């Protein structure tokens, strides 16, 4: 009962691409943030898949740390979003453009 | 068997990801993301990484996504309006996803003598993980705990109410420039 | 003198005077400026006299090396000075006449604002001219050559606020430059073939060469190119056009530079290079032809001029033509003899003309003069003597020198003699015309004193009549008049020729040998030619008397009947207009269109401007990357990431 490793990698790639596209297409800041989480998940999958191939447990360690960092990042990022919402009263990323030339 | 289970979880995963792109309300996108994470947990179990699967569900799906949902509900974000830009985005995006996926798949299938991975390949039980974590990876572990501390402090500071809003009536109003900026931002 | 004659002091003394006057002259009082200028120039003259008195033909030529200069491989040129009979004559003429003109200028330019500048430039000119005359190699001579051109430019354009003066200065310099170009190429040829520019080395190398009878060769080329240089400097055809315009300068300048010294530099150079010319008969013929034609050509123009200085200018061109004619028939000493006498009487003529102009308050048109002999007797007297000299009336100086040239020309080719005689007739005619128009009859001009002198002078004349000049101006006139009378006696019986013989005794064969052949064989012919010359001179005087003193209506009638021919002569045969349309206009327009608009603006400026424009365009376009729009940033990040991933995949796949 084996399947080629590339199946897992393809799935990881699809998730990553969906994440990138969501990051580019969506206008709601929170949705953009969620797309970033999607990208991270895709990368996690590929880590675990390679760890399975090489029987190297450090791949799982990486996943652990990625998750920790993702948690920290999500916390801070959402705090920033709340702060931005307070001043700009909008969650449309196109309207957060005070740095426009 | 492995393949069937893989395709099952994989299909749910992809469906959730695509749904995240398609949905207009952020809460729907959040829930699709939860689905994606759950199915990923299943994928991890297929590979034998039980610990990772568990913390995926507990931390990612259970904590981070809950945080997202709280924020969405707090900020009362509404639906995204259809605009010209979003139509263009969809017009370009869907084929983009398709093409990208096909490219990735083609590359991976064509040019690699990919090894075959058996089911439950990894020894993912907590004992093994703990041995790694608290011996070989102790330093990164401690550093990440500091990182979380910093993140907590940052989040508290950033999200706290500013002092002027705490005293609504007696406080000085916000400086004129900020008010003008806010007003100009609103009217755009 | 057996010891070192210290030749270098002679040029350097006027240089010191020029430097002091030039740097400090603005603050010095006029007496100090005068003292400095006259002092240094006079010191040079006294030194020249001392050297001349101690000159001994058996020890000549003297050589003195001041300092080494250029040592480049096998080529060597030093600051060396050289004195033989030829340089001695030139030295005395330059310092003597120069000193007299300095004295004259003290009076003439007394009221000018640029007094110190004028004397400084005059001293500078003396320095360069003396360097030219005393140089031992062609390179040092070329420095003097160029330097006198510079001094000429500075002095012609002395009243530089006047447009015509500035333009005349430019014209002189540029036309001179064309001649200098030929001179330079001749120098290059000399370096290439003889390895040196030193006189002794070059002439020693040329000496054993055979004359180039059969057409052109190296020596003919060098000779022709040297002649190009001489034609520019000494105002011969076709480069004479600057000399009439040079009359824009003050009259002492015209006297010193454009009569006595600078324009004779070409003759000196040809005489100095006689070794080369004697072995290049083709070049010699060209020299003679140019000289003869110029003499006739300029004399014809002089007949119809009404400006007193222009008449004298064309007369100078014509007399220089005589000198070149002499050199062209290998009668080099005769040419130098005429150079010397010409310096006396032409210098005197110009100075006297200056006195006349000064006396009538700036008027230079002879038609508005007349009857000046009663007002300015001394000027009249001295100018009369000079006119007799230039016309060739015996026994004044001009007769001896001109007759010697004509005699030698007849021996070479009677056609030269014929043209020379006709020119002598015309010369006598227009010079006496000048005298009668200026000094004869009644005064036809405006009252003097209403107009304030000429150009920068601010003279206050209480009375309305022309007046005599002060003694500081008349003194030099008298001295030069005496020299014009007695200066020719050194040439009687071939005395001058014998004096100069050691210099010119290097002819290759017998046909062009100096002296020996003609004199002994044809004494009778010589006296006949002398008689013809004298008769022609008197004939010219008679016709001038007829036309301008007796029957004053004749000139106008003849001019009217000649019509177009007269107009052509009066307009200098339209040569200036011809040069303008042939050379100047195409050059200026070509430069404007191609070099200025095409290259300077179109290529160089455009390159710089377009580079700047392109930088601006590029940055204009790149600017869009920083839009402040979050999603565009995200797009750029994704694009960059895609490029990197694609590259890595490609690497991995390869």
């Amino acid at each position: 009962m084996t399947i080629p490793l590339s199946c897992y990698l393809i799935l990881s790639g699809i998730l990553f691409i969906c994440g990138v596209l969501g990051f580019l297409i969506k206008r709601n800041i929170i949705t953009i943030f969620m797309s970033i989480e999607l990208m991270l998940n895709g990368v996690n999958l590929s880590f675990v898949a390679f760890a399975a191939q090489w029987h190297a447990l450090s791949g799982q360690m990486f996943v652990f740390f990625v998750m920790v960092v993702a948690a920290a990042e999500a916390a801070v990022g959402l705090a920033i979003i709340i702060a931005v919402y307070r001043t700009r009263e909008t969650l449309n990323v196109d309207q957060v453009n005070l740095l426009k030339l | 068997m492995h393949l069937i289970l893989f395709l099952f979880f994989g299909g749910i995963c992809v469906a959730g990801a695509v749904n995240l792109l398609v949905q207009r309300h952020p809460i729907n996108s959040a829930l699709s993301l939860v689905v994606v994470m759950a199915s990923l947990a299943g994928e991890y179990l297929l590979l034998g990484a039980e610990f990772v699967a568990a913390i995926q569900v507990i931390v990612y799906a259970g904590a981070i996504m809950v945080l997202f949902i709280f924020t969405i509900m707090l900020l009362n974000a509404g639906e995204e309006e259809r605009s010209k830009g979003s139509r263009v985005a969809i017009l370009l995006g869907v084929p983009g996803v398709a093409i990208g996926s096909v490219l990735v798949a083609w590359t991976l299938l064509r040019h690699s003598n990919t090894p075959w991975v058996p089911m439950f390949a990894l020894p993912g039980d907590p004992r093994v993980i703990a041995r790694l974590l608290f011996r070989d990876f102790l330093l990164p572990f401690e550093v990440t705990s500091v990182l979380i501390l910093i993140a907590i402090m940052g989040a508290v500071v950033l999200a706290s109410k500013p002092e002027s809003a705490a005293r609504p009536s007696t406080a000085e109003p916000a400086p004129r420039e900020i008010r003008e900026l806010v007003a100009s931002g609103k009217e755009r | 003198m057996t010891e070192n004659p210290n030749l270098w002091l002679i040029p350097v003394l006027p240089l010191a005077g020029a430097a002091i006057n030039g740097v400090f002259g603005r603050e010095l009082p006029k007496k100090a400026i005068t003292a400095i200028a006259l002092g240094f120039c006079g010191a040079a003259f006294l030194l020249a006299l001392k050297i001349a008195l101690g000159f001994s033909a058996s020890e000549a030529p003297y050589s003195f090396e001041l300092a080494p200069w250029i040592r480049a491989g096998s080529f060597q040129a030093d600051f060396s000075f050289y004195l033989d009979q030829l340089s001695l004559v030139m030295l005395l003429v330059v310092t003597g006449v120069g000193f007299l003109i300095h004295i004259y200028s003290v009076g003439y330019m007394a009221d000018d604002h640029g007094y110190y500048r004028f004397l400084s430039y005059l001293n500078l000119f003396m320095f360069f001219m003396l360097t030219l005359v005393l140089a031992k190699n062609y390179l040092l001579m070329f420095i003097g050559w160029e330097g006198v051109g510079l001094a000429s430019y500075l002095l012609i354009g002395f009243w530089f606020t006047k447009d015509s003066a500035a333009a005349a200065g430019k014209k002189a310099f540029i036309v001179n430059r064309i001649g200098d170009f030929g001179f330079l190429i001749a120098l290059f040829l000399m370096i290439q073939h003889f390895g040196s520019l030193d006189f002794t080395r070059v002439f020693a190398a040329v000496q054993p060469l055979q004359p180039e009878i059969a057409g052109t060769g190296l020596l003919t080329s060098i000779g022709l190119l040297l002649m190009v240089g001489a034609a520019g400097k000494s105002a011969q055809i076709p480069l004479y056009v600057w000399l009439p315009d040079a009359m824009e300068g003050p009259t002492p300048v015209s006297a010193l530079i454009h009569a006595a010294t600078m324009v004779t530099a070409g003759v000196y150079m040809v005489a100095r290079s006689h070794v080369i010319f004697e072995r290049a008969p083709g070049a010699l013929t060209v020299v003679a032809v140019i000289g003869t034609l110029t003499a006739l050509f300029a004399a014809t123009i002089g007949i119809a001029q009404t400006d007193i200085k222009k008449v004298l200018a064309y007369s100078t061109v014509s007399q220089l033509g005589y000198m070149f004619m002499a050199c062209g028939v290998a009668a080099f000493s005769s040419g130098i003899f005429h150079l010397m006498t010409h310096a006396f009487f032409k210098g005197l003529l110009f100075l006297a003309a200056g006195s006349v102009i000064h006396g009538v308050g700036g008027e230079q048109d002879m038609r508005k003069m007349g009857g000046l002999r009663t007002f300015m007797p001394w000027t009249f007297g001295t100018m009369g003597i000079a006119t007799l000299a230039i016309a060739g009336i015996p026994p004044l100086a001009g007769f001896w020198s001109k007759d010697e040239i004509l005699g030698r020309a007849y021996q070479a080719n009677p056609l030269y003699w014929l043209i020379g005689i006709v020119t002598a007739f015309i010369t006598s005619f227009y010079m006496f015309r000048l005298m009668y128009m200026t000094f004869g009859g009644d005064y036809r001009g405006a009252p003097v004193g209403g107009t304030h002198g000429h150009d920068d002078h601010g003279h206050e004349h209480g009375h309305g009549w022309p007046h005599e000049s002060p003694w500081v101006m008349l003194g030099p006139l008298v001295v030069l008049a005496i020299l014009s009378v007695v200066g020719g006696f050194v040439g009687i019986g071939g005395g001058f020729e014998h004096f100069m013989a050691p210099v010119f005794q290097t002819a290759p064969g017998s046909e062009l040998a100096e002296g020996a052949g003609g004199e002994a064989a044809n004494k009778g012919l010589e006296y006949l030619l002398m008689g013809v010359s004298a008769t022609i001179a008197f004939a010219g005087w008679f016709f001038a008397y007829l036309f301008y003193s007796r029957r004053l209506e004749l000139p106008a009638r003849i001019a009217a009947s000649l019509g177009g021919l007269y107009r052509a002569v009066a307009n200098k045969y339209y040569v200036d207009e011809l040069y303008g349309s042939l050379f100047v206009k195409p050059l200026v327009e070509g430069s404007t269109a191609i070099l200025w608009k095409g290259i300077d603006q179109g290529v160089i400026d455009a390159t710089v401007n377009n580079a700047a424009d392109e930088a601006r365009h590029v940055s204009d376009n790149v600017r869009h990357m920083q839009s402040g729009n979050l999603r565009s940033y995200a797009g750029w990040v994704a694009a960059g990431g895609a490029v990197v991933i694609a590259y890595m995949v490609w690497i991995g796949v390869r």
Side-chain angles (χ1 to χ4, degrees):
Chain A
M1 293 193 289
T2 55
I3 56 174
L5 180 70
S6 45
C7 290
Y8 285 99
L9 297 182
I10 291 170
L11 178 62
S12 160
I14 292 176
L15 286 177
F16 189 82
I17 288 169
C18 289
V20 170
L21 272 162
F23 182 71
L24 293 176
I25 291 173
K26 291 292 184 177
R27 268 172 292 125
N28 194 320
I29 300 185
I30 301 179
T31 315
I32 291 177
F33 220 56
M34 288 194 288
S35 315
I36 296 175
E37 298 297 330
L38 187 56
M39 282 194 261
L40 284 169
N41 275 297
V43 169
N44 278 352
L45 181 61
S46 78
F47 269 128
V48 174
F50 276 119
Q53 182 205 344
W54 293 110
H55 291 279
L57 287 175
S58 48
Q60 295 181 314
M61 283 296 102
F62 243 102
V63 173
F64 179 80
F65 289 122
V66 168
M67 273 188 216
V68 169
V69 170
E73 166 215 345
V76 176
L78 288 171
I80 292 177
I81 290 175
I82 293 177
V84 166
Y85 183 77
R86 272 211 202 101
T87 54
R88 304 294 288 151
E89 307 253 338
T90 177
L91 282 175
N92 190 344
V93 76
D94 288 334
Q95 288 170 9
V96 184
N97 59 355
L98 288 178
L99 283 176
K100 193 164 88 113
L101 285 169
Chain B
M1 185 65 184
H2 190 171
L3 188 63
I4 296 173
L5 283 174
F6 170 80
L7 284 175
F8 174 67
F9 286 118
I12 299 178
C13 214
V14 173
V18 173
N19 195 36
L20 185 145
L21 294 178
V22 165
Q23 288 297 328
R24 294 216 300 271
H25 203 296
I27 195 75
N28 299 335
S29 304
L31 292 173
S32 326
L33 194 55
V34 173
V35 164
V36 167
M37 289 173 179
S39 55
L40 273 182
E43 296 279 350
Y44 293 148
L45 280 174
L46 273 179
L47 283 171
E50 305 129 5
F51 183 71
V52 174
I55 60 171
Q56 166 91 350
V57 173
I58 297 172
V59 172
Y60 238 129
I64 296 176
M65 288 319 298
V66 169
L67 191 61
F68 268 102
I69 292 173
F70 271 146
T71 311
I72 293 171
M73 289 195 298
L74 175 69
L75 299 182
N76 204 10
E79 277 196 11
E80 280 183 10
E81 307 91 34
R82 278 252 184 254
S83 74
K84 188 171 70 98
S86 72
R87 266 182 264 258
V88 167
I90 290 175
L91 210 60
L92 291 177
V94 169
V97 169
I99 291 171
S101 318
V102 164
L103 268 176
V104 168
W106 179 82
T107 312
L108 288 174
L109 286 174
R110 269 299 291 262
H111 294 285
S112 56
N113 294 327
T114 330
W116 291 67
V117 174
M119 225 158 81
F120 308 127
L122 282 166
D125 52 317
R127 212 178 342 188
V128 179
I129 303 271
R131 222 176 270 143
L132 263 183
L133 189 62
F134 295 114
R135 278 197 216 163
D136 303 325
F137 291 97
L138 184 60
L139 178 63
F141 177 72
E142 297 297 335
V143 170
T144 48
S145 51
V146 174
L147 179 71
I148 292 180
L149 178 66
I150 295 170
I152 291 172
M153 289 197 296
V156 166
V157 166
L158 283 170
S160 68
K161 286 192 195 279
E163 287 105 42
S164 56
R167 297 161 273 152
S169 52
T170 60
E172 278 180 51
R176 197 163 53 87
E177 299 85 44
I178 303 221
R179 269 187 284 136
E180 277 170 359
L181 281 172
V182 168
S184 67
K186 266 193 189 155
E187 74 202 23
R188 272 212 205 117
Chain C
M1 49 202 152
T2 49
E3 78 277 5
N4 213 322
N6 264 329
L7 286 170
W8 62 279
L9 266 182
I10 301 184
V12 169
L13 282 171
L15 177 65
I20 297 176
N21 262 335
V23 171
F24 301 113
R26 205 198 287 250
E27 285 91 34
L28 292 173
K30 204 194 293 197
K31 285 209 183 355
I33 302 172
T34 313
I36 291 172
L38 288 184
F40 281 103
C41 186
F45 176 53
L46 287 174
L47 201 52
L49 266 184
K50 173 167 172 281
I51 289 178
L53 290 172
F55 188 83
S56 132
S58 53
E59 288 168 359
Y62 298 94
S63 223
F64 175 71
E65 180 180 312
L66 179 63
W69 183 16
I70 299 180
R71 301 280 161 88
S74 57
F75 177 70
Q76 180 177 329
D78 297 327
F79 290 121
S80 322
F81 296 95
Y82 185 72
L83 187 72
D84 62 357
Q85 286 86 345
L86 176 60
S87 345
L88 184 69
V89 170
M90 292 296 298
L91 181 68
L92 286 174
V93 167
V94 170
T95 47
V97 177
F99 184 55
L100 286 173
I101 295 182
H102 272 75
I103 298 177
Y104 179 90
S105 312
V106 169
Y108 191 79
M109 303 294 286
D111 291 321
D112 197 293
H113 298 300
Y115 182 70
Y116 76 94
R117 200 159 50 96
F118 188 77
L119 288 177
S120 168
Y121 287 160
L122 273 187
N123 274 359
L124 188 71
F125 168 80
M126 294 292 290
F127 160 66
F128 280 123
M129 189 70 203
L130 290 167
T131 308
L132 195 158
V133 166
L134 289 173
K136 189 166 183 245
N137 55 52
Y138 277 106
L139 198 57
L140 195 59
M141 180 202 258
F142 191 64
I143 289 188
W145 188 272
E146 293 280 333
V148 296
L150 169 72
S152 169
Y153 164 78
L154 289 171
L155 284 164
I156 292 175
F158 182 70
W159 291 311
F160 53 81
T161 47
K162 207 164 131 201
D163 272 344
S164 54
K170 252 195 316 188
K171 184 173 180 179
F173 197 79
I174 293 175
V175 175
N176 253 311
R177 212 76 190 101
I178 300 175
D180 295 346
F181 180 62
F183 195 179
L184 265 178
I185 299 186
L187 294 188
F188 295 153
L189 279 174
M190 277 189 229
I191 296 179
Q192 186 186 29
H193 289 273
F194 305 128
S196 167
L197 287 178
D198 189 272
F199 289 151
T200 37
R201 299 255 295 266
V202 168
F203 297 151
V206 174
Q207 183 89 327
L209 295 178
Q210 288 301 312
E212 296 172 0
I213 315 262
T216 60
L218 171 68
L219 292 177
T220 312
S221 319
I222 295 182
L224 285 175
L225 286 164
L226 285 176
M227 186 57 203
V228 170
K233 185 65 73 182
S234 297
Q236 298 295 294
I237 291 176
L239 295 171
Y240 71 92
V241 289
W242 63 272
L243 191 54
D245 282 44
M247 296 299 117
E248 293 280 343
T251 311
V253 170
S254 309
L256 180 62
I257 299 186
H258 306 126
T261 44
M262 183 182 100
V263 292
T264 58
V267 184
Y268 167 72
M269 187 262 284
V270 169
R272 177 61 78 198
S273 315
H274 65 94
V275 179
I276 299 174
F277 279 103
E278 280 158 358
R279 285 156 185 75
L284 263 189
T285 314
V286 170
V287 171
V289 167
I290 288 182
T292 317
L293 284 179
T294 309
L296 182 63
F297 183 75
T300 54
I301 301 183
I303 303 179
Q305 298 301 309
T306 51
D307 184 329
I308 191 174
K309 282 178 77 170
K310 288 270 187 343
V311 175
L312 295 176
Y314 284 107
S315 167
T316 306
V317 175
S318 178
Q319 297 299 311
L320 288 167
Y322 269 114
M323 295 180 217
F324 278 102
M325 186 206 294
C327 293
V329 298
F332 296 105
S333 63
S334 309
I336 299 295
F337 184 33
H338 194 59
L339 191 157
M340 186 176 80
T341 56
H342 176 263
F344 298 148
F345 54 70
K346 190 48 69 62
L348 173 56
L349 276 172
F350 267 109
L351 291 185
S355 173
V356 165
I357 296 171
H358 177 97
V360 296
E363 181 59 63
Q364 288 183 237
D365 191 336
M366 291 191 292
R367 296 170 292 192
K368 303 207 183 83
M369 298 182 195
L372 291 180
R373 67 188 177 291
T374 44
F375 300 109
M376 313 164 80
W378 281 95
T379 310
F380 171 59
T382 48
M383 197 157 186
I385 293 177
T387 309
L388 291 174
I390 191 175
I393 308 276
L396 281 86
F399 168 70
W400 302 108
S401 56
K402 199 185 289 194
D403 181 71
E404 195 170 319
I405 295 178
L406 288 175
R408 302 301 304 275
Y410 185 84
Q411 283 166 10
N413 186 342
L415 187 58
Y416 292 147
W417 175 85
L418 184 63
I419 298 182
I421 276 289
V422 172
T423 310
F425 170 72
I426 301 179
T427 305
S428 171
F429 174 71
Y430 68 65
M431 284 313 300
F432 281 105
R433 164 183 180 258
L434 188 151
M435 287 298 291
Y436 283 122
M437 278 179 87
T438 310
F439 295 104
D442 301 313
Y443 184 56
R444 299 182 288 274
V448 174
T451 63
H452 275 246
H454 34 91
D455 297 275
D456 260 31
H457 283 220
H459 282 241
E460 300 294 327
H461 300 295
H463 42 86
W465 294 111
H467 62 101
E468 187 61 276
S469 304
W471 268 102
V472 71
M473 285 164 69
L474 290 179
L477 292 184
V478 170
V479 174
L480 284 173
I482 296 175
L483 283 172
S484 300
V485 173
V486 305
F489 295 150
V490 298
I492 296 182
F496 192 79
E497 207 172 309
H498 281 141
F499 177 66
M500 300 287 278
V503 180
F504 294 118
Q505 65 187 357
T506 54
S510 58
E511 40 190 336
L512 296 176
E514 287 222 0
E519 242 182 299
N522 267 318
K523 260 305 190 229
L525 181 64
E526 196 181 318
Y527 286 128
L528 178 64
L529 292 176
M530 274 168 71
V532 174
S533 306
T535 316
I536 287 292
F538 281 109
W541 189 353
F542 172 70
F543 275 97
Y545 170 73
L546 184 67
F547 277 51
Y548 291 98
S549 188
R550 268 286 130 192
R551 303 187 53 191
L552 293 166
E553 74 284 0
L554 269 184
R557 263 176 42 194
I558 296 183
S561 64
L562 284 179
L565 183 61
Y566 175 75
R567 266 201 307 280
V569 171
N571 281 318
K572 317 165 270 155
Y573 297 112
Y574 301 110
V575 171
D576 277 323
E577 288 79 4
L578 182 69
Y579 281 176
S581 58
L582 259 185
F583 300 115
V584 176
K585 191 154 167 296
L587 204 60
V588 168
E589 286 181 358
S591 281
T592 307
I594 300 175
L595 292 179
W596 176 32
K597 296 215 170 84
I599 297 183
D600 192 39
Q601 277 186 350
V603 173
I604 299 179
D605 278 356
T607 309
V608 171
N609 289 344
N610 283 348
D613 274 346
E614 277 317 300
R616 197 156 41 88
H617 288 145
V618 165
S619 63
D620 254 353
N621 291 331
V622 171
R623 168 173 72 86
H624 293 298
M625 218 161 68
Q626 265 207 323
S627 58
N629 187 355
L630 206 66
R631 286 213 286 163
S632 80
Y633 289 161
W636 284 107
V637 170
V643 167
V644 171
I645 291 174
Y647 176 70
M648 290 172 70
V649 167
W650 181 63
I651 293 277
V653 160
R654 243 175 6 114

